[in-house]
Amino acid sequence: MSKVEIFRTLHQDRAPGDPVVLPGPWDAISARAFEAAGFPALATPSAGIAASLGYEDGATPADEMFAAVARVVRSVDVPVSADVEDGYGLAPKELVERLLGTGAVGCNLEDSRAGVLKDPQEHADWLAEVRAVAGDALFVNARVDTFSCGDADPERAIERAALYVAAGAECVYPIGAPLDVLPLLRAGIQVPINVYAWPDGASLEELGELAAMRVTFGPRMQRWAAEELAGFARALRDA
């Protein structure tokens, strides 16, 4: 079974309360740590990689993002999905070629740019082109940014998700969705839902019971590691 087939299978037939958990490596050493811990797949966070490269979230040049993803992929044997933001303005063919060139088996593609939601039908048409070029070689996770862009109506997220699923998305990521609307989203979205695990929030089991079939962490793990390193540095300074 190929890596993309393994990755796709991880999203299928998940029992309630048992989502697939995908840690977010930001470099080769963190990827190896997560693999050694036994996780079956990984999902790079664009914000975590941006921080590791010295950029603000959303400001990483495309070339540097793809290079960083490639380093993560070649450092581990498990499948890796890549957060490539809104696709960096690349045409579908080039985007797919560059993703496959990194060795990634999946991607997150968001429907906003600089905090502004894109036209949902235009974005769906673009996703359909991406999927047509990629075929089954990439697992497409469509991020829905309505909640993070200030639209709290879950029906808007469901409407966008339906367009993206029709375009070929195999998973939908309604980032920033409040916990209390997750069951409604699960009822209205016909593919697995990716849920972001917030610090001090619901447990993985609770997220799975609410809606999640996939849980990711964005830059949370990278930030935790940075805080731990800062604490160690302070203790060393004061020794």
Side-chain angles (χ1 to χ4, degrees):
M1 187 180 291
S2 69
K3 285 186 177 181
V4 69
E5 290 171 334
I6 293 170
F7 190 75
R8 192 166 276 120
T9 300
L10 289 172
H11 294 75
Q12 298 170 354
D13 301 321
R14 307 295 308 186
D18 182 34
V20 59
V21 178
L22 303 180
W26 56 94
D27 59 11
I29 194 168
S30 60
R32 288 174 180 149
F34 295 138
E35 180 184 42
F39 289 97
L42 307 174
T44 65
S46 61
I49 287 179
S52 74
L53 296 176
Y55 292 103
E56 295 295 324
D57 185 19
T60 308
D63 288 351
E64 293 196 46
M65 183 63 74
F66 287 118
V69 170
R71 288 192 291 271
V72 167
V73 171
R74 70 171 176 258
S75 70
V76 295
D77 292 325
V78 296
V80 177
S81 181
D83 181 349
V84 288
E85 303 177 278
D86 70 342
Y88 307 109
L90 299 175
K93 185 175 186 296
E94 183 178 0
L95 176 62
V96 170
E97 288 175 349
R98 298 195 70 173
L99 276 166
L100 294 178
T102 69
V105 301
C107 59
N108 281 10
L109 294 169
E110 58 200 54
D111 66 350
S112 70
R113 178 176 295 152
V116 178
L117 288 168
K118 297 181 179 181
D119 177 89
Q121 186 59 63
E122 290 180 4
H123 186 64
D125 292 343
W126 181 78
L127 285 177
E129 291 185 56
V130 169
R131 190 55 193 271
V133 174
D136 290 331
L138 282 176
F139 183 98
V140 176
N141 183 29
R143 206 178 89 175
V144 176
D145 288 355
T146 50
F147 296 101
S148 61
C149 289
D151 187 342
D153 186 349
E155 291 301 327
R156 299 291 80 74
I158 291 171
E159 290 168 2
R160 284 177 172 260
L163 289 172
Y164 306 158
V165 171
E170 298 175 80
C171 187
V172 168
Y173 183 11
I175 190 169
L179 292 180
D180 61 355
V181 306
L182 290 180
L184 179 60
L185 296 178
R186 179 175 62 183
I189 296 174
Q190 303 308 310
V191 295
I193 294 177
N194 184 159
V195 174
Y196 180 84
W198 291 92
D200 303 319
S203 69
L204 297 177
E205 181 179 1
E206 289 169 331
L207 290 176
E209 290 173 348
L210 285 169
M213 294 180 71
R214 162 173 164 163
V215 175
T216 53
F217 302 85
R220 175 180 170 190
M221 292 181 168
Q222 192 264 355
R223 290 171 182 170
W224 175 85
E227 289 171 2
E228 289 294 300
L229 181 59
F232 175 79
R234 288 192 296 270
L236 184 63
R237 177 202 62 198
D238 296 337

